[in-house]
Amino acid sequence: MRVAIIAPYSIGPMRGNITTVRRIARFLGLAGVEVKILASDAMPILEMESCISSFSPDIIHGFHVRHCGLTACNLAARHGIPAVITITGTDINDPQLRSNPATAHAMAAAAAVVCFDEFVAENVAGYFPNAASRLSIVPQGIEPLSVKYEHSFDIPENAFVLLLPAALRPVKNVEFAIQTLAALAIDNDWLQLVIAGGVIDPGYAAAIQKMLADKPFARWLGEVPYQQMGDLYARADLVLNCSLFEGMPNSLLEAMALGRPVLARDIPGNHSLIQEGETGWLYRDEEDFRRQVLRLADDAALREQTGRRAREYVLSNFSPELETERYLKLYKSLG
Protein backbone atom coordinates (compact mmCIF):
# COMPACT_ATOMS: atom_id res chain seq x y z
CA MET A 1 0.00 0.00 0.00
CA ARG A 2 1.10 3.55 -0.76
CA VAL A 3 -0.11 6.58 1.17
CA ALA A 4 0.57 10.23 0.35
CA ILE A 5 0.28 12.49 3.39
CA ILE A 6 -0.53 16.17 2.88
CA ALA A 7 0.95 17.92 5.93
CA PRO A 8 0.20 21.51 6.93
CA TYR A 9 3.65 22.29 8.33
CA SER A 10 7.21 21.08 7.89
CA ILE A 11 9.31 24.11 8.79
CA GLY A 12 9.37 26.62 11.62
CA PRO A 13 8.79 25.93 15.33
CA MET A 14 7.89 22.41 16.41
CA ARG A 15 4.15 21.95 16.84
CA GLY A 16 1.73 19.09 17.33
CA ASN A 17 0.91 18.60 13.66
CA ILE A 18 4.56 18.13 12.74
CA THR A 19 5.07 15.60 15.54
CA THR A 20 1.91 13.73 14.59
CA VAL A 21 2.66 13.47 10.87
CA ARG A 22 6.25 12.34 11.41
CA ARG A 23 5.20 9.66 13.90
CA ILE A 24 2.40 8.29 11.75
CA ALA A 25 4.57 8.22 8.63
CA ARG A 26 7.34 6.36 10.44
CA PHE A 27 5.10 3.72 11.97
CA LEU A 28 3.18 3.21 8.74
CA GLY A 29 6.57 2.63 7.13
CA LEU A 30 7.46 0.07 9.79
CA ALA A 31 4.18 -1.69 8.96
CA GLY A 32 5.22 -2.02 5.32
CA VAL A 33 3.39 0.99 3.87
CA GLU A 34 5.17 3.24 1.39
CA VAL A 35 4.64 6.81 2.59
CA LYS A 36 5.41 10.15 0.99
CA ILE A 37 4.92 13.39 2.93
CA LEU A 38 3.99 16.47 0.89
CA ALA A 39 4.15 19.62 3.01
CA SER A 40 1.78 22.40 2.00
CA ASP A 41 4.02 25.08 3.53
CA ALA A 42 6.98 24.08 1.35
CA MET A 43 5.54 22.56 -1.84
CA PRO A 44 3.43 24.31 -4.50
CA ILE A 45 0.31 22.49 -5.66
CA LEU A 46 1.77 21.76 -9.09
CA GLU A 47 4.75 20.05 -7.49
CA MET A 48 2.39 18.05 -5.30
CA GLU A 49 0.48 16.99 -8.40
CA SER A 50 3.69 15.83 -10.04
CA CYS A 51 4.71 13.86 -6.95
CA ILE A 52 1.30 12.22 -6.72
CA SER A 53 1.45 11.22 -10.38
CA SER A 54 4.86 9.58 -10.02
CA PHE A 55 4.15 8.00 -6.62
CA SER A 56 0.69 6.59 -7.52
CA PRO A 57 -0.70 6.33 -3.97
CA ASP A 58 -3.71 4.25 -2.97
CA ILE A 59 -4.82 6.87 -0.42
CA ILE A 60 -4.25 10.59 0.03
CA HIS A 61 -4.38 11.61 3.68
CA GLY A 62 -4.64 15.25 4.69
CA PHE A 63 -3.92 16.49 8.22
CA HIS A 64 -5.85 19.63 9.25
CA VAL A 65 -9.10 20.02 7.36
CA ARG A 66 -8.77 23.75 6.60
CA HIS A 67 -5.12 23.84 5.54
CA CYS A 68 -4.85 20.46 3.79
CA GLY A 69 -8.31 18.94 3.47
CA LEU A 70 -9.45 20.45 0.19
CA THR A 71 -6.02 19.96 -1.39
CA ALA A 72 -6.09 16.27 -0.41
CA CYS A 73 -9.63 15.83 -1.72
CA ASN A 74 -8.95 17.60 -5.03
CA LEU A 75 -5.79 15.58 -5.67
CA ALA A 76 -7.57 12.36 -4.76
CA ALA A 77 -10.48 13.14 -7.09
CA ARG A 78 -8.13 13.77 -10.01
CA HIS A 79 -6.50 10.40 -9.48
CA GLY A 80 -9.65 8.46 -8.66
CA ILE A 81 -8.60 7.42 -5.16
CA PRO A 82 -10.04 8.04 -1.67
CA ALA A 83 -9.12 11.01 0.48
CA VAL A 84 -8.88 10.78 4.27
CA ILE A 85 -8.79 13.85 6.50
CA THR A 86 -7.65 13.93 10.12
CA ILE A 87 -9.12 16.67 12.31
CA THR A 88 -6.21 18.01 14.36
CA GLY A 89 -7.73 20.60 16.72
CA THR A 90 -7.79 24.23 15.63
CA ASP A 91 -9.38 23.28 12.31
CA ILE A 92 -12.65 22.36 14.04
CA ASN A 93 -12.43 24.51 17.21
CA ASP A 94 -11.43 27.83 15.65
CA PRO A 95 -14.66 29.41 14.32
CA GLN A 96 -12.88 31.18 11.46
CA LEU A 97 -11.22 27.99 10.24
CA ARG A 98 -14.34 25.89 10.78
CA SER A 99 -16.61 28.28 8.85
CA ASN A 100 -14.23 28.71 5.92
CA PRO A 101 -15.82 27.44 2.66
CA ALA A 102 -12.78 25.26 1.99
CA THR A 103 -13.47 23.40 5.24
CA ALA A 104 -17.06 22.66 4.25
CA HIS A 105 -16.04 21.50 0.77
CA ALA A 106 -13.38 19.19 2.18
CA MET A 107 -15.74 17.73 4.77
CA ALA A 108 -18.25 16.96 2.02
CA ALA A 109 -15.69 15.39 -0.33
CA ALA A 110 -13.58 13.24 2.01
CA ALA A 111 -14.15 9.48 1.94
CA ALA A 112 -13.39 9.36 5.66
CA VAL A 113 -12.83 11.92 8.43
CA VAL A 114 -10.71 10.93 11.43
CA CYS A 115 -11.12 12.37 14.93
CA PHE A 116 -8.83 11.72 17.89
CA ASP A 117 -11.66 10.93 20.32
CA GLU A 118 -15.43 10.72 20.71
CA PHE A 119 -15.67 14.26 22.10
CA VAL A 120 -14.25 15.71 18.89
CA ALA A 121 -16.37 13.35 16.78
CA GLU A 122 -19.55 14.57 18.49
CA ASN A 123 -18.61 18.19 17.78
CA VAL A 124 -17.73 17.45 14.17
CA ALA A 125 -21.03 15.63 13.62
CA GLY A 126 -22.83 18.64 15.10
CA TYR A 127 -21.10 21.11 12.82
CA PHE A 128 -21.14 18.88 9.72
CA PRO A 129 -24.10 16.44 9.99
CA ASN A 130 -23.56 15.12 6.46
CA ALA A 131 -20.13 13.82 7.50
CA ALA A 132 -21.40 11.88 10.54
CA SER A 133 -21.54 8.53 8.73
CA ARG A 134 -17.94 8.94 7.53
CA LEU A 135 -16.35 9.66 10.91
CA SER A 136 -13.75 7.33 12.41
CA ILE A 137 -11.96 7.60 15.75
CA VAL A 138 -8.21 7.02 15.83
CA PRO A 139 -6.57 8.20 19.08
CA GLN A 140 -3.10 9.69 18.85
CA GLY A 141 -0.11 7.49 19.59
CA ILE A 142 2.88 8.45 21.69
CA GLU A 143 6.46 7.27 22.00
CA PRO A 144 8.01 8.14 25.38
CA LEU A 145 10.76 10.69 24.96
CA SER A 146 14.30 9.82 25.94
CA VAL A 147 15.43 11.13 29.34
CA LYS A 148 19.21 11.50 29.65
CA TYR A 149 19.50 13.93 32.60
CA GLU A 150 22.11 15.88 30.65
CA HIS A 151 20.38 19.28 30.68
CA SER A 152 19.50 21.28 33.79
CA PHE A 153 18.13 24.33 31.92
CA ASP A 154 19.59 26.44 34.77
CA ILE A 155 16.54 25.74 36.92
CA PRO A 156 17.21 26.07 40.68
CA GLU A 157 17.20 22.72 42.45
CA ASN A 158 14.77 23.85 45.14
CA ALA A 159 12.20 25.27 42.67
CA PHE A 160 8.75 23.78 42.24
CA VAL A 161 8.64 23.73 38.44
CA LEU A 162 5.43 24.26 36.52
CA LEU A 163 6.21 23.47 32.88
CA LEU A 164 4.07 24.90 30.09
CA PRO A 165 5.14 23.35 26.76
CA ALA A 166 3.52 25.65 24.19
CA ALA A 167 4.55 27.40 21.02
CA LEU A 168 3.73 31.09 21.32
CA ARG A 169 0.38 31.72 19.65
CA PRO A 170 -2.91 32.98 21.13
CA VAL A 171 -4.69 29.61 21.29
CA LYS A 172 -2.12 28.38 23.82
CA ASN A 173 -3.26 31.03 26.32
CA VAL A 174 0.21 31.39 27.83
CA GLU A 175 -0.74 34.67 29.51
CA PHE A 176 -3.19 32.81 31.76
CA ALA A 177 -0.39 30.90 33.49
CA ILE A 178 1.77 34.02 33.88
CA GLN A 179 -0.99 36.25 35.23
CA THR A 180 -2.60 33.64 37.46
CA LEU A 181 0.64 32.48 39.06
CA ALA A 182 1.84 36.06 39.67
CA ALA A 183 -0.33 36.38 42.77
CA LEU A 184 0.90 33.05 44.15
CA ALA A 185 4.56 33.84 43.48
CA ILE A 186 4.47 36.87 45.78
CA ASP A 187 4.24 34.66 48.88
CA ASN A 188 5.72 31.49 47.38
CA ASP A 189 9.11 32.33 45.90
CA TRP A 190 9.84 28.65 45.27
CA LEU A 191 7.35 28.60 42.38
CA GLN A 192 8.96 28.60 38.93
CA LEU A 193 6.98 28.78 35.69
CA VAL A 194 8.96 27.51 32.70
CA ILE A 195 7.54 28.07 29.22
CA ALA A 196 9.04 26.08 26.33
CA GLY A 197 8.09 26.62 22.70
CA GLY A 198 9.01 28.48 19.56
CA VAL A 199 7.43 31.61 18.09
CA ILE A 200 4.48 31.09 15.76
CA ASP A 201 2.76 34.47 16.21
CA PRO A 202 5.42 37.22 16.50
CA GLY A 203 3.02 39.83 17.86
CA TYR A 204 1.76 37.49 20.54
CA ALA A 205 5.31 36.41 21.38
CA ALA A 206 6.33 40.06 21.83
CA ALA A 207 3.41 40.60 24.21
CA ILE A 208 4.37 37.52 26.24
CA GLN A 209 8.01 38.62 26.45
CA LYS A 210 6.91 42.07 27.65
CA MET A 211 4.69 40.43 30.25
CA LEU A 212 7.62 38.35 31.50
CA ALA A 213 9.92 41.35 31.92
CA ASP A 214 8.84 42.00 35.52
CA LYS A 215 7.94 38.41 36.45
CA PRO A 216 11.09 36.83 37.96
CA PHE A 217 9.20 33.63 38.78
CA ALA A 218 8.59 32.91 35.06
CA ARG A 219 10.99 32.10 32.21
CA TRP A 220 10.59 31.47 28.50
CA LEU A 221 13.22 29.04 27.18
CA GLY A 222 12.32 29.50 23.53
CA GLU A 223 12.15 26.37 21.42
CA VAL A 224 13.87 23.50 23.21
CA PRO A 225 15.39 20.89 20.85
CA TYR A 226 13.08 17.89 20.69
CA GLN A 227 15.84 15.54 21.86
CA GLN A 228 16.15 17.60 25.08
CA MET A 229 12.43 17.73 25.89
CA GLY A 230 12.56 14.45 27.83
CA ASP A 231 15.01 16.03 30.28
CA LEU A 232 12.77 19.11 30.61
CA TYR A 233 9.66 17.03 31.33
CA ALA A 234 11.65 15.01 33.88
CA ARG A 235 12.58 18.23 35.73
CA ALA A 236 8.95 19.39 35.88
CA ASP A 237 6.98 18.89 39.07
CA LEU A 238 3.72 19.66 37.26
CA VAL A 239 3.04 20.00 33.52
CA LEU A 240 0.39 22.52 32.41
CA ASN A 241 -1.95 22.92 29.48
CA CYS A 242 -3.79 26.25 29.41
CA SER A 243 -5.08 26.19 25.82
CA LEU A 244 -8.35 27.80 24.79
CA PHE A 245 -9.05 24.63 22.79
CA GLU A 246 -7.19 21.49 21.78
CA GLY A 247 -7.49 18.30 19.75
CA MET A 248 -5.54 15.74 21.73
CA PRO A 249 -2.40 17.63 22.82
CA ASN A 250 0.92 15.94 22.15
CA SER A 251 2.44 17.83 25.08
CA LEU A 252 0.13 16.12 27.58
CA LEU A 253 0.72 12.73 25.97
CA GLU A 254 4.49 13.29 26.19
CA ALA A 255 4.33 14.36 29.82
CA MET A 256 2.03 11.53 30.88
CA ALA A 257 4.08 8.90 29.03
CA LEU A 258 7.00 9.92 31.27
CA GLY A 259 4.90 9.71 34.42
CA ARG A 260 4.69 13.46 34.96
CA PRO A 261 1.57 14.81 36.72
CA VAL A 262 -0.52 17.18 34.60
CA LEU A 263 -2.92 20.04 35.30
CA ALA A 264 -4.92 21.17 32.28
CA ARG A 265 -7.77 23.43 31.38
CA ASP A 266 -11.20 21.82 31.51
CA ILE A 267 -11.90 21.67 27.76
CA PRO A 268 -13.17 18.76 25.62
CA GLY A 269 -9.81 18.15 23.94
CA ASN A 270 -8.25 17.28 27.30
CA HIS A 271 -11.03 15.01 28.56
CA SER A 272 -9.93 11.88 26.71
CA LEU A 273 -6.54 11.97 28.45
CA ILE A 274 -7.34 13.31 31.89
CA GLN A 275 -9.65 11.44 34.22
CA GLU A 276 -10.01 13.83 37.14
CA GLY A 277 -7.90 12.73 40.07
CA GLU A 278 -6.89 9.50 38.33
CA THR A 279 -4.59 10.47 35.46
CA GLY A 280 -4.33 14.20 36.16
CA TRP A 281 -6.40 17.23 37.07
CA LEU A 282 -8.57 19.74 35.25
CA TYR A 283 -9.05 23.35 36.34
CA ARG A 284 -12.06 25.53 35.56
CA ASP A 285 -10.97 29.09 36.39
CA GLU A 286 -8.18 31.15 37.97
CA GLU A 287 -9.23 30.42 41.55
CA ASP A 288 -9.44 26.69 40.88
CA PHE A 289 -6.06 26.76 39.12
CA ARG A 290 -4.31 28.48 42.03
CA ARG A 291 -5.97 26.20 44.58
CA GLN A 292 -4.88 23.09 42.75
CA VAL A 293 -1.31 24.31 42.23
CA LEU A 294 -0.87 24.93 45.97
CA ARG A 295 -2.49 21.60 46.91
CA LEU A 296 -0.34 19.63 44.48
CA ALA A 297 2.85 21.49 45.40
CA ASP A 298 2.30 20.30 48.95
CA ASP A 299 1.67 16.64 48.10
CA ALA A 300 4.56 14.94 46.31
CA ALA A 301 3.12 11.48 46.97
CA LEU A 302 -0.14 12.38 45.22
CA ARG A 303 1.75 13.78 42.24
CA GLU A 304 3.88 10.63 41.99
CA GLN A 305 0.92 8.26 42.26
CA THR A 306 -1.16 10.13 39.72
CA GLY A 307 1.80 10.45 37.34
CA ARG A 308 2.34 6.72 37.52
CA ARG A 309 -1.31 5.99 36.72
CA ALA A 310 -1.16 8.50 33.84
CA ARG A 311 1.86 6.71 32.40
CA GLU A 312 0.17 3.32 32.60
CA TYR A 313 -3.00 4.69 31.01
CA VAL A 314 -1.23 6.41 28.11
CA LEU A 315 1.15 3.56 27.30
CA SER A 316 -1.73 1.05 27.36
CA ASN A 317 -4.19 3.05 25.25
CA PHE A 318 -2.19 5.39 23.02
CA SER A 319 0.59 3.33 21.47
CA PRO A 320 1.82 4.19 17.95
CA GLU A 321 1.33 0.55 16.99
CA LEU A 322 -2.37 0.72 17.87
CA GLU A 323 -2.69 4.03 16.04
CA THR A 324 -1.09 2.49 12.95
CA GLU A 325 -3.31 -0.59 13.12
CA ARG A 326 -6.43 1.57 13.17
CA TYR A 327 -5.27 3.69 10.23
CA LEU A 328 -4.44 0.59 8.20
CA LYS A 329 -7.88 -0.86 8.92
CA LEU A 330 -9.48 2.40 7.77
CA TYR A 331 -7.36 2.59 4.62
CA LYS A 332 -8.21 -0.99 3.65
CA SER A 333 -11.93 -0.38 4.20
CA LEU A 334 -11.79 2.35 1.53
CA GLY A 335 -9.98 0.28 -1.08
Side-chain angles (χ1 to χ4, degrees):
M1 178 180 286
R2 291 177 179 156
V3 176
I5 292 179
I6 311 296
Y9 308 107
S10 64
I11 55 179
M14 183 59 66
R15 57 173 93 198
N17 283 327
I18 295 176
T19 301
T20 296
V21 167
R22 288 178 180 175
R23 180 190 64 253
I24 289 173
R26 188 162 72 83
F27 276 87
L28 284 174
L30 292 173
V33 178
E34 291 186 58
V35 180
K36 184 176 287 292
I37 299 175
L38 310 178
S40 63
D41 63 344
M43 183 178 291
I45 189 66
L46 290 178
E47 187 177 349
M48 283 192 188
E49 177 69 60
S50 176
C51 287
I52 294 292
S53 296
S54 60
F55 184 53
S56 298
D58 302 291
I59 298 281
I60 296 181
H61 192 158
F63 285 78
H64 197 290
V65 64
R66 168 62 187 92
H67 294 324
C68 298
L70 192 56
T71 297
C73 290
N74 287 341
L75 288 170
R78 287 179 203 145
H79 292 268
I81 57 177
V84 174
I85 296 172
T86 290
I87 302 288
T88 63
T90 55
D91 46 359
I92 199 66
N93 290 310
D94 185 321
Q96 289 189 328
L97 296 178
R98 185 176 63 241
S99 62
N100 191 285
T103 299
H105 291 320
M107 292 296 292
V113 177
V114 174
C115 305
F116 293 146
D117 60 53
E118 65 272 14
F119 300 106
V120 175
E122 289 175 7
N123 285 336
V124 172
Y127 294 129
F128 301 98
N130 292 337
S133 63
R134 292 175 282 120
L135 297 179
S136 293
I137 295 175
V138 180
Q140 294 236 66
I142 183 64
E143 287 184 281
L145 294 170
S146 174
V147 179
K148 300 178 180 178
Y149 300 104
E150 295 176 348
H151 305 279
S152 68
F153 305 98
D154 294 323
I155 298 172
E157 290 187 10
N158 64 341
F160 181 84
V161 178
L162 299 115
L163 172 62
L164 177 56
L168 298 189
R169 53 177 175 148
V171 69
K172 294 303 180 180
N173 199 23
V174 174
E175 66 272 22
F176 173 89
I178 300 170
Q179 294 168 344
T180 308
L181 288 170
L184 288 184
I186 294 173
D187 297 318
N188 303 281
D189 59 6
W190 38 267
L191 283 176
Q192 177 87 66
L193 173 64
V194 176
I195 304 159
V199 174
I200 291 179
D201 184 315
Y204 181 77
I208 292 297
Q209 289 173 300
K210 183 177 180 181
M211 190 179 296
L212 291 171
D214 62 347
K215 306 290 191 306
F217 69 91
R219 297 173 55 205
W220 173 54
L221 300 182
E223 181 162 16
V224 175
Y226 194 66
Q227 62 271 24
Q228 296 179 18
M229 280 301 298
D231 282 5
L232 186 55
Y233 281 118
R235 179 60 187 88
D237 295 290
L238 190 62
V239 177
L240 306 176
N241 179 285
C242 302
S243 298
L244 301 177
F245 42 76
E246 284 281 5
M248 180 180 285
N250 277 287
S251 60
L252 288 186
L253 282 166
E254 290 169 350
M256 295 167 76
L258 292 176
R260 308 318 299 152
V262 297
L263 174 62
R265 184 173 175 169
D266 188 0
I267 53 175
N270 292 330
H271 289 176
S272 59
L273 296 178
I274 299 178
Q275 301 165 15
E276 181 67 29
E278 289 295 316
T279 61
W281 300 273
L282 298 166
Y283 71 85
R284 285 158 290 285
D285 52 32
E286 291 186 8
E287 182 179 352
D288 189 29
F289 178 84
R290 284 191 288 262
R291 178 185 62 81
Q292 296 211 53
V293 166
L294 289 178
R295 176 175 68 94
L296 295 170
D298 197 42
D299 198 335
L302 178 61
R303 298 197 309 272
E304 192 277 332
Q305 293 164 6
T306 307
R308 185 175 64 251
R309 287 195 298 267
R311 182 176 187 276
E312 293 169 354
Y313 175 66
V314 164
L315 295 184
S316 297
N317 294 279
F318 300 92
S319 73
E321 292 82 4
L322 183 57
E323 179 184 38
T324 301
E325 180 183 319
R326 287 170 169 161
Y327 271 122
L328 285 175
K329 183 178 179 180
L330 174 61
Y331 295 158
K332 291 174 182 177
S333 74
L334 300 175

